[in-house]
Structure formats: structure tokens, C-alpha cells
Amino acid sequence: MAEKKKILVVEDEEILLAALTEELTQGGYEPEGAADGEEGLAKVKSFGPELILLDLVMPKMDGMEVLKRLKSDASTKDIPVVILTN
């Protein structure tokens, strides 16, 4: 059996985070959620996602700052990021 692909969802709206992680789980992925940019950056290191779904408007650290930090770090720069906005 193939290992599930890990996807990190960084979204501050609880209902959207829950909906996205549920959909990804049902789709056969292994999602992990983060409620803000700071938590998202920490989870990138501990969870090791193969894809990041990233909201732009969040408290503490917005999505553009998270993206900037991800792309400036050699260990995370190659992880694909999909920007979410509503």
C-alpha cells in the first residue's frame, strides 16, 4: 500500500480548516492543520509536507510572510505552495 501524501493546510478560519482537512482525508491524503502562519512554519519542520495550502490573511503572520520564509529556506524552498483566499 502506498504511503499517503502529506498536505499542510494553513488556515485561520476553523470551519474552512476543518472542511479542507476532512476533504483531503476522504481523498486519501494525510492532512495536518495549522491555525496561523507561525504554527504553519513550525509544522512544516515537524510534519514534512509534500504540499502546502496557504491562506493569505491570517493573524500573527500573514501568508505572504510565510511564503517568503518558506522560499528563502533551503530545506523548504522546493515544497509546492497553493495560495488560498476567500
Side-chain angles (χ1 to χ4, degrees):
M1 187 168 157
E3 190 174 313
K4 292 181 179 181
K5 301 288 184 187
K6 294 180 175 184
I7 300 176
L8 178 63
V9 181
V10 185
E11 170 61 66
D12 65 313
E13 297 213 21
E14 288 182 34
I15 191 136
L16 288 174
L17 181 58
L20 287 166
T21 55
E22 178 62 26
E23 279 294 316
L24 290 167
T25 299
Q26 289 180 10
Y29 298 96
E30 181 183 344
E32 179 73 28
D36 61 58
E38 289 179 355
E39 182 182 359
L41 284 176
K43 286 195 173 183
V44 166
K45 300 290 186 176
S46 64
F47 181 60
E50 294 158 271
L51 174 69
I52 300 169
L53 302 180
L54 178 63
D55 186 21
L56 286 181
V57 180
M58 295 182 291
K60 295 186 184 177
M61 183 184 303
D62 69 20
M64 291 308 291
E65 180 62 25
V66 172
L67 183 61
K68 180 177 146 191
R69 291 184 187 201
L70 289 169
K71 295 306 174 184
S72 67
D73 183 330
S75 68
T76 59
K77 70 179 179 68
D78 293 328
I79 301 171
V81 177
V82 175
I83 300 294
L84 303 176
T85 188
N86 54 3

